[in-house]
Amino acid sequence: MSAVVQLPTGEVLTVWAAADVFLDSLGSPNTVRNYGIGVGKTAERIGEGRRSASVADDEIGEALELLWGTAAVGTWNSRRAGVLSWLGWCRERGYEGPAVPARAKRMAVPDSETPARSKMAIDRLMARREVHLREKTLWRMLYETAGRAEEILGVNIEDLDFAGRRCLVKAKSARSKVRRRGQVRGDFVLETVYWDAGTARLLKGRTRGPVFVTHRRPGPGKIVNLRDVCPDTGLARLSYGQARALLDEHTAVRGPGTGWDLHEYRHSSLTHLGEQGASLLMLMAKSRHKKPENVRRYFKPSPEAIAELTSLLAHGDSKR
Protein backbone atom coordinates (compact mmCIF):
# COMPACT_ATOMS: atom_id res chain seq x y z
CA MET A 1 0.00 0.00 0.00
CA SER A 2 1.20 3.53 -0.78
CA ALA A 3 1.78 5.93 2.07
CA VAL A 4 -0.90 8.48 2.87
CA VAL A 5 0.31 11.87 1.68
CA GLN A 6 -0.35 14.76 4.06
CA LEU A 7 -0.60 18.39 3.12
CA PRO A 8 1.46 20.80 5.22
CA THR A 9 -0.30 21.94 8.37
CA GLY A 10 0.14 25.10 10.36
CA GLU A 11 1.79 26.94 7.50
CA VAL A 12 0.89 28.79 4.34
CA LEU A 13 0.23 26.42 1.46
CA THR A 14 2.02 27.57 -1.68
CA VAL A 15 1.04 26.70 -5.22
CA TRP A 16 4.09 24.52 -5.69
CA ALA A 17 3.61 22.71 -2.36
CA ALA A 18 0.02 21.92 -3.34
CA ALA A 19 1.11 20.67 -6.76
CA ASP A 20 3.98 18.62 -5.37
CA VAL A 21 1.99 16.84 -2.69
CA PHE A 22 -0.89 16.15 -5.12
CA LEU A 23 1.41 14.50 -7.66
CA ASP A 24 3.06 12.47 -4.88
CA SER A 25 -0.37 11.13 -3.93
CA LEU A 26 -0.97 9.56 -7.37
CA GLY A 27 -0.24 5.86 -7.52
CA SER A 28 0.05 5.29 -11.25
CA PRO A 29 3.27 6.44 -12.99
CA ASN A 30 1.28 7.08 -16.17
CA THR A 31 -1.16 9.33 -14.33
CA VAL A 32 1.72 11.19 -12.69
CA ARG A 33 3.31 11.71 -16.09
CA ASN A 34 0.10 12.90 -17.77
CA TYR A 35 -1.14 15.09 -14.92
CA GLY A 36 2.35 16.35 -14.13
CA ILE A 37 2.58 18.32 -17.37
CA GLY A 38 -0.70 20.16 -16.84
CA VAL A 39 -0.25 20.74 -13.12
CA GLY A 40 3.44 21.63 -13.31
CA LYS A 41 3.19 24.13 -16.16
CA THR A 42 0.06 25.74 -14.68
CA ALA A 43 1.75 26.14 -11.30
CA GLU A 44 4.78 27.65 -12.99
CA ARG A 45 2.62 30.04 -14.99
CA ILE A 46 0.68 31.46 -12.01
CA GLY A 47 3.70 31.54 -9.68
CA GLU A 48 5.03 28.58 -7.72
CA GLY A 49 5.71 30.57 -4.55
CA ARG A 50 2.31 32.22 -4.30
CA ARG A 51 -0.18 31.29 -1.61
CA SER A 52 -2.87 29.05 -3.11
CA ALA A 53 -5.61 31.04 -1.40
CA SER A 54 -4.52 34.18 -3.26
CA VAL A 55 -4.98 32.69 -6.74
CA ALA A 56 -8.24 33.60 -8.49
CA ASP A 57 -10.29 31.22 -10.63
CA ASP A 58 -9.79 33.46 -13.67
CA GLU A 59 -6.03 33.15 -13.32
CA ILE A 60 -6.35 29.39 -13.71
CA GLY A 61 -8.51 29.87 -16.78
CA GLU A 62 -6.05 32.34 -18.30
CA ALA A 63 -3.12 30.00 -17.66
CA LEU A 64 -4.92 27.13 -19.37
CA GLU A 65 -5.81 29.32 -22.34
CA LEU A 66 -2.27 30.67 -22.72
CA LEU A 67 -0.65 27.27 -22.40
CA TRP A 68 -3.04 25.06 -24.40
CA GLY A 69 -5.73 27.27 -25.91
CA THR A 70 -4.53 26.49 -29.44
CA ALA A 71 -3.57 22.86 -28.80
CA ALA A 72 -5.47 19.82 -30.10
CA VAL A 73 -8.76 19.01 -28.42
CA GLY A 74 -7.34 15.89 -26.76
CA THR A 75 -4.39 17.86 -25.35
CA TRP A 76 -6.62 20.63 -23.98
CA ASN A 77 -8.97 18.12 -22.33
CA SER A 78 -6.06 16.16 -20.83
CA ARG A 79 -4.29 19.19 -19.36
CA ARG A 80 -7.55 20.65 -18.07
CA ALA A 81 -8.44 17.33 -16.44
CA GLY A 82 -5.13 17.25 -14.60
CA VAL A 83 -5.56 20.77 -13.22
CA LEU A 84 -9.21 20.10 -12.36
CA SER A 85 -8.24 16.99 -10.39
CA TRP A 86 -5.41 18.83 -8.61
CA LEU A 87 -7.52 21.76 -7.42
CA GLY A 88 -10.44 19.54 -6.44
CA TRP A 89 -8.10 17.29 -4.44
CA CYS A 90 -6.87 20.30 -2.43
CA ARG A 91 -10.36 21.62 -1.73
CA GLU A 92 -11.55 18.21 -0.54
CA ARG A 93 -8.83 18.41 2.13
CA GLY A 94 -10.01 21.76 3.42
CA TYR A 95 -7.44 24.08 1.81
CA GLU A 96 -8.58 27.32 0.23
CA GLY A 97 -7.67 27.75 -3.38
CA PRO A 98 -8.93 28.42 -6.89
CA ALA A 99 -11.08 26.30 -9.16
CA VAL A 100 -11.17 25.84 -12.92
CA PRO A 101 -13.63 28.52 -14.11
CA ALA A 102 -16.79 27.52 -15.94
CA ARG A 103 -15.63 29.23 -19.14
CA ALA A 104 -12.68 26.81 -19.42
CA LYS A 105 -14.95 24.00 -20.54
CA ARG A 106 -14.05 20.55 -21.69
CA MET A 107 -14.05 20.62 -25.48
CA ALA A 108 -16.18 18.23 -27.51
CA VAL A 109 -14.30 15.72 -29.64
CA PRO A 110 -14.49 16.72 -33.34
CA ASP A 111 -16.80 14.86 -35.68
CA SER A 112 -15.64 11.49 -36.87
CA GLU A 113 -13.22 11.58 -39.78
CA THR A 114 -14.84 8.46 -41.25
CA PRO A 115 -15.68 9.35 -44.87
CA ALA A 116 -19.20 9.06 -46.22
CA ARG A 117 -19.22 7.22 -49.54
CA SER A 118 -21.72 8.32 -52.18
CA LYS A 119 -24.68 6.10 -53.02
CA MET A 120 -23.32 5.82 -56.54
CA ALA A 121 -19.94 4.58 -55.31
CA ILE A 122 -21.61 2.03 -53.02
CA ASP A 123 -23.89 0.74 -55.78
CA ARG A 124 -21.04 0.59 -58.28
CA LEU A 125 -18.88 -1.48 -55.92
CA MET A 126 -21.69 -3.96 -55.25
CA ALA A 127 -22.38 -4.30 -58.98
CA ARG A 128 -18.88 -5.52 -59.82
CA ARG A 129 -18.91 -9.06 -61.18
CA GLU A 130 -15.78 -10.21 -59.38
CA VAL A 131 -17.30 -9.44 -55.96
CA HIS A 132 -18.64 -12.60 -54.29
CA LEU A 133 -22.32 -12.81 -53.32
CA ARG A 134 -21.32 -13.07 -49.66
CA GLU A 135 -19.54 -9.70 -49.73
CA LYS A 136 -22.33 -8.05 -51.70
CA THR A 137 -24.88 -9.25 -49.16
CA LEU A 138 -22.81 -8.12 -46.19
CA TRP A 139 -22.10 -4.68 -47.61
CA ARG A 140 -25.71 -4.09 -48.66
CA MET A 141 -26.96 -5.24 -45.27
CA LEU A 142 -24.51 -2.99 -43.44
CA TYR A 143 -25.67 -0.03 -45.51
CA GLU A 144 -29.41 -0.64 -45.31
CA THR A 145 -29.47 -1.50 -41.59
CA ALA A 146 -26.90 1.16 -40.60
CA GLY A 147 -25.73 -1.57 -38.25
CA ARG A 148 -22.29 -2.04 -36.80
CA ALA A 149 -20.18 -4.66 -38.54
CA GLU A 150 -19.77 -6.79 -35.38
CA GLU A 151 -23.56 -6.85 -34.94
CA ILE A 152 -24.35 -7.96 -38.48
CA LEU A 153 -21.55 -10.52 -38.64
CA GLY A 154 -22.91 -12.06 -35.43
CA VAL A 155 -26.36 -12.79 -36.89
CA ASN A 156 -27.55 -16.33 -37.72
CA ILE A 157 -30.09 -17.25 -40.39
CA GLU A 158 -32.49 -18.42 -37.67
CA ASP A 159 -32.50 -14.85 -36.30
CA LEU A 160 -33.79 -13.34 -39.55
CA ASP A 161 -37.40 -12.24 -39.99
CA PHE A 162 -37.56 -12.43 -43.79
CA ALA A 163 -41.17 -11.22 -44.02
CA GLY A 164 -40.57 -8.24 -41.75
CA ARG A 165 -37.08 -7.56 -43.15
CA ARG A 166 -35.61 -7.28 -39.68
CA CYS A 167 -33.61 -9.18 -37.08
CA LEU A 168 -32.36 -8.91 -33.52
CA VAL A 169 -28.68 -8.16 -32.91
CA LYS A 170 -26.45 -8.09 -29.85
CA ALA A 171 -25.58 -4.42 -29.86
CA LYS A 172 -22.41 -2.68 -28.79
CA SER A 173 -22.32 -2.46 -24.95
CA ALA A 174 -25.46 -4.62 -24.81
CA ARG A 175 -27.08 -4.67 -21.37
CA SER A 176 -26.96 -8.03 -19.62
CA LYS A 177 -30.22 -9.63 -18.49
CA VAL A 178 -28.50 -11.71 -15.84
CA ARG A 179 -25.12 -11.82 -14.15
CA ARG A 180 -23.35 -15.12 -14.66
CA ARG A 181 -20.26 -16.55 -16.23
CA GLY A 182 -20.29 -17.92 -19.75
CA GLN A 183 -23.12 -15.69 -20.92
CA VAL A 184 -24.57 -16.47 -24.33
CA ARG A 185 -26.23 -14.18 -26.83
CA GLY A 186 -29.70 -14.71 -25.38
CA ASP A 187 -28.56 -13.43 -21.99
CA PHE A 188 -28.29 -9.89 -23.38
CA VAL A 189 -30.93 -7.32 -24.31
CA LEU A 190 -31.08 -7.49 -28.11
CA GLU A 191 -31.94 -4.65 -30.50
CA THR A 192 -33.71 -4.67 -33.86
CA VAL A 193 -32.20 -3.63 -37.19
CA TYR A 194 -34.14 -3.28 -40.45
CA TRP A 195 -33.15 -3.79 -44.08
CA ASP A 196 -34.84 -3.15 -47.41
CA ALA A 197 -35.36 -4.79 -50.78
CA GLY A 198 -31.69 -4.70 -51.79
CA THR A 199 -30.68 -6.94 -48.91
CA ALA A 200 -33.82 -9.07 -49.21
CA ARG A 201 -32.95 -10.00 -52.80
CA LEU A 202 -29.47 -11.17 -51.77
CA LEU A 203 -30.38 -13.14 -48.64
CA LYS A 204 -30.77 -16.64 -50.05
CA GLY A 205 -29.12 -20.04 -50.03
CA ARG A 206 -28.55 -21.78 -46.69
CA THR A 207 -31.33 -22.17 -44.14
CA ARG A 208 -29.45 -22.21 -40.82
CA GLY A 209 -26.17 -21.27 -39.19
CA PRO A 210 -24.24 -17.97 -39.44
CA VAL A 211 -25.42 -15.69 -42.24
CA PHE A 212 -21.81 -14.95 -43.24
CA VAL A 213 -19.30 -17.80 -43.19
CA THR A 214 -15.76 -18.38 -44.39
CA HIS A 215 -14.88 -20.65 -47.32
CA ARG A 216 -13.00 -23.02 -45.00
CA ARG A 217 -13.80 -25.21 -42.04
CA PRO A 218 -12.15 -24.56 -38.65
CA GLY A 219 -8.71 -26.15 -38.32
CA PRO A 220 -8.23 -29.37 -36.33
CA GLY A 221 -8.18 -28.81 -32.59
CA LYS A 222 -9.75 -25.33 -32.82
CA ILE A 223 -12.62 -24.92 -30.36
CA VAL A 224 -15.55 -23.09 -31.93
CA ASN A 225 -18.93 -22.24 -30.40
CA LEU A 226 -21.70 -24.28 -32.01
CA ARG A 227 -23.54 -21.07 -32.90
CA ASP A 228 -20.53 -19.97 -34.95
CA VAL A 229 -20.49 -22.99 -37.25
CA CYS A 230 -22.92 -23.89 -40.04
CA PRO A 231 -24.38 -27.32 -39.12
CA ASP A 232 -24.82 -28.23 -42.79
CA THR A 233 -21.46 -27.23 -44.26
CA GLY A 234 -19.20 -27.07 -41.19
CA LEU A 235 -18.03 -23.62 -42.27
CA ALA A 236 -17.19 -21.12 -39.50
CA ARG A 237 -18.53 -17.61 -39.04
CA LEU A 238 -16.77 -14.86 -40.97
CA SER A 239 -14.73 -12.74 -38.55
CA TYR A 240 -14.48 -8.96 -38.48
CA GLY A 241 -10.83 -9.11 -39.54
CA GLN A 242 -11.61 -11.34 -42.51
CA ALA A 243 -14.53 -9.14 -43.59
CA ARG A 244 -12.42 -6.01 -43.33
CA ALA A 245 -9.63 -7.59 -45.40
CA LEU A 246 -12.11 -8.60 -48.12
CA LEU A 247 -13.47 -5.05 -48.35
CA ASP A 248 -9.95 -3.64 -48.48
CA GLU A 249 -9.06 -6.08 -51.24
CA HIS A 250 -11.79 -4.68 -53.48
CA THR A 251 -11.38 -0.98 -52.63
CA ALA A 252 -7.68 -0.35 -51.98
CA VAL A 253 -6.08 1.84 -54.67
CA ARG A 254 -2.78 2.71 -52.97
CA GLY A 255 -1.82 -0.71 -51.68
CA PRO A 256 -3.10 -3.00 -48.90
CA GLY A 257 -4.72 -1.21 -45.97
CA THR A 258 -5.78 1.88 -47.95
CA GLY A 259 -9.28 0.74 -48.90
CA TRP A 260 -12.66 1.36 -47.31
CA ASP A 261 -13.49 0.46 -43.72
CA LEU A 262 -16.59 -1.54 -42.74
CA HIS A 263 -17.79 1.30 -40.50
CA GLU A 264 -18.08 3.54 -43.55
CA TYR A 265 -21.30 1.78 -44.55
CA ARG A 266 -22.99 2.76 -41.27
CA HIS A 267 -21.60 6.28 -41.49
CA SER A 268 -22.65 6.64 -45.15
CA SER A 269 -26.14 5.29 -44.47
CA LEU A 270 -26.84 7.78 -41.68
CA THR A 271 -25.31 10.63 -43.68
CA HIS A 272 -27.56 9.91 -46.65
CA LEU A 273 -30.65 9.68 -44.42
CA GLY A 274 -29.74 13.02 -42.86
CA GLU A 275 -29.34 14.57 -46.30
CA GLN A 276 -32.80 13.29 -47.21
CA GLY A 277 -34.32 15.17 -44.25
CA ALA A 278 -34.67 12.42 -41.64
CA SER A 279 -35.42 13.93 -38.22
CA LEU A 280 -32.98 13.70 -35.34
CA LEU A 281 -35.29 11.30 -33.49
CA MET A 282 -35.63 9.04 -36.52
CA LEU A 283 -31.86 9.00 -37.02
CA MET A 284 -31.46 8.00 -33.36
CA ALA A 285 -34.03 5.24 -33.82
CA LYS A 286 -32.30 3.94 -36.96
CA SER A 287 -28.76 4.11 -35.56
CA ARG A 288 -29.81 3.11 -32.02
CA HIS A 289 -27.60 5.83 -30.56
CA LYS A 290 -28.63 6.74 -27.02
CA LYS A 291 -27.31 10.32 -27.02
CA PRO A 292 -28.42 13.04 -29.49
CA GLU A 293 -24.90 14.50 -29.71
CA ASN A 294 -23.64 11.23 -31.21
CA VAL A 295 -26.01 11.45 -34.15
CA ARG A 296 -26.46 15.22 -34.52
CA ARG A 297 -23.79 15.47 -37.23
CA TYR A 298 -26.05 13.43 -39.53
CA PHE A 299 -29.05 15.76 -39.02
CA LYS A 300 -28.99 18.04 -42.06
CA PRO A 301 -32.39 19.66 -42.73
CA SER A 302 -32.66 21.43 -46.09
CA PRO A 303 -33.14 25.22 -46.40
CA GLU A 304 -36.67 24.50 -47.62
CA ALA A 305 -37.42 22.50 -44.48
CA ILE A 306 -36.12 25.31 -42.26
CA ALA A 307 -38.20 27.86 -44.20
CA GLU A 308 -41.33 25.72 -43.85
CA LEU A 309 -40.71 25.34 -40.12
CA THR A 310 -40.23 29.09 -39.75
CA SER A 311 -43.56 29.76 -41.50
CA LEU A 312 -45.33 28.07 -38.57
CA LEU A 313 -44.36 31.08 -36.45
CA ALA A 314 -46.14 33.55 -38.77
CA HIS A 315 -48.96 35.56 -37.18
CA GLY A 316 -52.58 35.36 -38.32
CA ASP A 317 -53.20 36.03 -42.02
CA SER A 318 -49.48 36.26 -42.77
CA LYS A 319 -49.23 32.46 -42.67
CA ARG A 320 -48.66 30.99 -46.09
Side-chain angles (χ1 to χ4, degrees), residues 29-84:
N30 288 333
T31 305
V32 173
R33 189 181 307 111
N34 292 334
Y35 278 14
I37 298 173
V39 173
K41 287 187 175 296
T42 302
E44 182 181 352
R45 183 76 195 181
I46 61 180
E48 298 172 350
R50 290 182 59 185
R51 293 172 53 247
S52 292
S54 70
V55 180
D57 294 358
D58 283 343
E59 290 183 82
I60 296 294
E62 289 172 5
L64 289 172
E65 288 287 350
L66 287 170
L67 290 166
W68 300 291
T70 58
V73 171
T75 301
W76 165 268
N77 288 341
S78 176
R79 304 297 178 250
R80 176 188 175 277
V83 173
L84 187 71

Side-chain angles (χ1 to χ4, degrees), residues 38 68 129 137 139 154 229 242 254 295 305-306 315:
W68 300 291
R129 291 185 177 181
T137 307
W139 301 341
V229 179
Q242 291 167 327
R254 297 186 303 276
V295 76
I306 297 296
H315 176 70

Side-chain angles (χ1 to χ4, degrees), residues 147-156 159 167-178 182-193 227-228 237 266 287-288 290:
R148 300 176 181 89
E150 297 90 339
E151 298 171 346
I152 302 304
L153 288 169
V155 171
N156 278 24
D159 305 325
C167 70
L168 293 172
V169 298
K170 180 180 174 241
K172 178 182 179 182
S173 303
R175 186 159 45 88
S176 176
K177 294 179 183 176
V178 295
Q183 288 178 313
V184 296
R185 184 173 182 272
D187 293 331
F188 293 89
V189 177
L190 304 179
E191 298 178 356
T192 305
V193 297
R227 177 180 165 79
D228 296 328
R237 185 184 306 279
R266 173 176 169 85
S287 66
R288 293 165 290 119
K290 303 300 187 291

